Amino acid sequence: MTTFEPVRPAVPRAREVQASVLAAFQLVEDARYLGRRRPPRRLRSRVMAERAVADRKLLRDLRAG
């Protein structure tokens, strides 16, 4: 071996590629799974608005007696 030849990696590159593909696949699957737990933005804003209305009604009722 001369100094002009590249050094061979200790681990075959095929495993590195497979690990990267597996990690990318797992990230996509996690995003799909975790993304479904959160309700759509419209629904969240509606729920927040309903809570605000309910809080105002409660405050008004408490002030009224």
Side-chain angles (χ1 to χ4, degrees), residues 25-40:
F25 180 74
Q26 191 167 4
L27 285 174
V28 169
E29 288 298 311
D30 288 347
R32 284 184 185 166
Y33 176 74
L34 296 176
R36 289 185 180 165
R37 277 197 281 174
R38 196 170 188 185

Side-chain angles (χ1 to χ4, degrees), residues 48-64:
M48 292 299 289
E50 289 174 355
R51 285 183 190 169
V53 169
D55 288 343
R56 288 180 194 145
K57 284 182 180 179
L58 178 63
L59 184 61
R60 185 181 59 206
D61 292 344
L62 289 175
R63 285 183 183 165

Side-chain angles (χ1 to χ4, degrees), residues 7-50:
V7 177
R8 293 183 182 172
V11 179
R13 288 200 176 257
R15 290 185 183 174
E16 292 175 14
V17 172
Q18 288 176 357
S20 296
V21 169
L22 179 61
F25 180 74
Q26 191 167 4
L27 285 174
V28 169
E29 288 298 311
D30 288 347
R32 284 184 185 166
Y33 176 74
L34 296 176
R36 289 185 180 165
R37 277 197 281 174
R38 196 170 188 185
R41 184 173 296 210
R42 252 187 246 155
L43 180 61
R44 283 181 289 161
S45 61
R46 181 178 175 181
V47 168
M48 292 299 289
E50 289 174 355

